[in-house]
């Protein structure tokens, strides 16, 4: 009995300890989530602050604010912040890119525009000039101010950039998806060059994919230049996509550099990482292969990632490569659908 009482006492004691521990645990959890939501609030406030800072220069008669509503942030880079927006006139969903000007912001003249335009605006206009090419993002409107410029761009919906798309598909994509994305990206790159625009930053983050139709759009001409036939001696873009001739000799040609960046892009989508020096060496010796990839696919990679630019597959010939010569399976709506 005593024992039992004692046991009961112990039980009650351990029950009390347990309850106390539970309460302590619960308090910790609550404070953790509070701290977490506080961080969340702070983050939101930060973004709000950022937005206020980004739009600080506006006046009440600001053209953009009187024609568009500005919503959540879609993305952020070095000098630009991209927001979701709506055109007041017809409620069209748009993307509004705000870019802060620096001493490096160049302005250039383009035909039909009496004043020089910020280079990114000018290149986006030039790339869309002529028959409509759905693979290139369209500039719907813009505003140029002394300290910043704003670009209103079409916003495919629902869409995500290829970084997010790849994450959702387990970090890398199968050959069929890569072929479908590459076909559209190479076409966009070709059209840009035909329109004398060197994009120079074709990469996963700068390609949007429509999650319903799988249509791809090339965005962000912020690192681009007018395409010329002479050599370039400075590079602006992303180092992982930089052509080896620039690293080795400090110069490159626009189309050849574009073909290299397309090779890096294709490799990254198929493998989930950038090629190492060893991968490049195997590709050079035509020894690079992966069990899940077709020989044609590996051959195309090898032709794009040729160290010597003169031996690289030329941009205009990429879509004629055998790897692209497969019958496309399409849905009733004429779309290739990826889950
Ligand atoms: P910069 O290179 O000039 O610093 P950035 O890389 O910050 O620019 P973008 O690449 O144009 O700017 O946009 C950043 C991100 O915002 C993109 O990766 C994409 O996720 C999103 N985004 C940009 N434009 C659009 C658009 N038109 N529609 C939907 N999302 C977009
Ligand atoms: Mg970008």
């Amino acid at each position: 009995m005593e024992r039992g009482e004692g046991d009961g006492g112990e039980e009650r004691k351990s029950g009390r300890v347990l309850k106390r521990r539970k309460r302590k645990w619960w308090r910790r959890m609550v404070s953790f989530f509070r701290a977490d939501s506080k961080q969340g609030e702070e983050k939101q406030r930060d973004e709000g602050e950022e937005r206020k800072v980004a739009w600080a220069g506006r006046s009440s008669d600001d053209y953009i604010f009187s024609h568009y509503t500005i919503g959540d942030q879609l993305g952020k880079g070095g000098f630009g912040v991209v927001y979701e927006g709506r055109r007041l006139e017809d409620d069209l969903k748009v993307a509004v890119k705000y870019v802060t000007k620096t001493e490096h912001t160049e302005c250039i003249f383009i035909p039909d525009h009496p004043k020089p335009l910020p280079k990114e605006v000018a290149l986006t206009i030039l790339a869309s000039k002529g028959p409509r090419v759905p693979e290139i993002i369209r500039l719907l409107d813009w505003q140029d101010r002394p300290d910043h410029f704003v670009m209103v761009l079409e916003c495919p919906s629902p869409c995500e950039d290829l970084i997010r798309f790849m994450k959702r598909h387990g970090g890398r994509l199968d050959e069929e998806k890569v072929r479908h994305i590459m076909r559209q990206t190479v076409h966009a790159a070709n059209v840009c060059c035909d329109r004398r625009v060197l994009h120079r930053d074709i990469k996963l983050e700068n390609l949007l994919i429509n999650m319903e139709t799988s249509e791809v759009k090339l965005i962000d001409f912020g690192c681009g230049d007018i395409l010329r036939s002479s050599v370039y001696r400075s590079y602006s873009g992303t180092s992982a996509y930089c052509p080896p001739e620039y690293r080795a000799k400090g110069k490159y040609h626009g189309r050849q550099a574009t073909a290299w960046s397309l090779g890096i892009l294709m490799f990254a989508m198929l493998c989930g990482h950038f090629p190492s020096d060893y991968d490049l060496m195997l590709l050079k010796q035509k020894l690079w292969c992966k069990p899940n990839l077709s020989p044609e696919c590996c051959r195309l990679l090898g032709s794009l990632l040729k160290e010597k630019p003169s031996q690289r597959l030329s941009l205009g010939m990429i879509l004629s490569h055998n790897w692209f010569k497969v019958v496309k399976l399409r849905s009733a709506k004429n779309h290739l659908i990826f889950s």
Side-chain angles (χ1 to χ4, degrees):
M1 187 70 186
E2 270 175 24
R3 217 190 137 111
E5 267 180 20
D7 276 346
E10 274 303 305
E11 256 174 38
R12 272 199 299 279
K13 199 175 153 199
S14 61
R16 274 203 303 274
V17 170
L18 262 179
K19 264 189 197 160
R20 222 179 297 141
R21 275 195 196 146
K22 260 190 194 167
R23 269 205 301 272
K24 219 170 154 187
W25 171 83
W26 178 244
R27 269 202 301 271
R28 233 185 287 145
M29 287 302 283
V30 168
S31 71
F32 171 81
F33 280 115
R34 272 212 197 110
D36 205 48
S37 64
K38 206 170 153 206
Q39 271 170 14
E41 274 165 26
E42 265 165 20
K43 205 171 149 224
Q44 273 178 10
R45 218 180 306 134
D46 279 346
E47 280 173 3
E49 283 302 317
E50 231 162 41
R51 189 176 307 175
K52 258 190 254 155
V53 171
W55 298 101
R58 79 190 174 103
S59 55
S60 54
D61 63 345
D62 192 291
Y63 171 77
I64 295 292
F65 273 85
S66 56
H67 289 79
Y68 303 91
T69 57
I70 308 296
D72 292 338
Q73 188 174 306
L74 287 172
K76 189 175 185 294
F79 304 106
V81 190
V82 184
Y83 302 101
E84 202 180 278
R86 292 267 170 194
R87 187 160 67 188
L88 289 172
E89 179 193 318
D90 55 3
D91 206 35
L92 178 77
K93 189 174 171 185
V94 293
V96 184
K97 182 170 179 178
Y98 180 104
V99 183
T100 310
K101 285 187 181 174
T102 68
E103 74 253 44
H104 304 294
T105 308
E106 271 183 76
C107 288
I108 57 169
F109 279 102
I110 57 166
D112 304 330
H113 294 268
K115 284 187 185 166
L117 299 175
K119 209 180 209 176
E120 182 173 355
V121 175
L123 295 176
T124 318
I125 293 174
L126 287 179
S128 311
K129 210 162 187 174
R132 180 147 157 57
V133 176
E135 294 85 352
I136 298 174
I137 204 77
R138 257 180 357 126
L139 181 66
L140 304 172
D141 206 348
W142 79 92
Q143 181 190 48
D144 189 16
R145 285 285 158 107
D147 61 339
H148 71 264
F149 61 90
V150 181
M151 300 169 73
V152 181
L153 299 148
E154 65 175 316
C155 185
S157 185
C159 81
E160 59 191 355
D161 60 45
L162 286 187
I163 290 270
R164 283 190 207 141
F165 182 75
M166 280 180 63
K167 265 191 200 153
R168 213 162 45 79
H169 286 85
R172 62 182 145 181
L173 305 177
D174 63 50
E175 219 177 296
E176 192 46 52
K177 287 190 186 67
V178 174
R179 192 183 348 254
H180 184 62
I181 293 167
M182 283 302 291
R183 194 177 269 128
Q184 299 178 71
T185 310
V186 174
H187 180 56
N190 261 310
V191 173
C192 286
C193 288
D194 290 348
R195 293 176 176 176
R196 288 190 49 234
V197 173
L198 172 63
H199 184 285
R200 208 160 40 186
D201 202 18
I202 300 179
K203 60 175 179 178
L204 297 169
E205 296 90 321
N206 287 339
L207 289 160
L208 299 179
I209 185 158
N210 184 313
M211 284 127 85
E212 274 172 8
T213 64
S214 303
E215 283 172 321
V216 170
K217 282 187 199 293
L218 179 61
I219 61 165
D220 191 2
F221 289 76
C223 291
D225 207 342
I226 296 287
L227 180 72
R228 52 175 201 250
S229 52
S230 58
V231 81
Y232 290 84
R233 292 185 189 276
S234 68
Y235 180 77
S236 123
T238 305
S239 67
Y241 296 78
C242 176
E245 57 272 26
Y246 181 68
R247 291 181 199 280
K249 296 183 180 158
K251 52 187 185 179
Y252 62 93
H253 282 92
R255 284 175 188 268
Q256 291 169 340
T258 303
W260 175 271
S261 68
L262 289 167
I264 299 284
L265 175 81
M266 180 173 160
F267 188 105
M269 285 193 284
L270 291 164
C271 303
H273 59 85
F274 293 120
S276 63
D277 289 346
Y278 186 61
D279 288 318
L280 293 174
M281 194 264 287
L282 290 180
L283 279 163
K284 189 174 169 182
Q285 294 173 354
K286 298 185 178 162
L287 294 172
W288 190 88
C289 61
K290 290 263 165 189
N292 55 332
L293 298 182
S294 69
E296 280 307 330
C297 180
C298 303
R299 266 196 281 276
L300 175 56
L301 275 176
S303 311
L304 290 171
L305 295 175
K306 281 257 191 274
E307 195 181 338
K308 276 198 176 165
S310 57
Q311 291 175 358
R312 209 170 287 155
L313 184 60
S314 73
L315 187 58
M317 293 306 292
I318 300 176
L319 288 179
S320 309
H321 192 274
N322 275 343
W323 186 60
F324 287 106
K325 290 180 187 152
V326 290
V327 182
K328 287 177 269 180
L329 292 172
R330 289 186 173 272
S331 73
K333 280 187 174 173
N334 203 28
H335 293 140
L336 266 170
I337 308 293
F338 302 144
S339 58

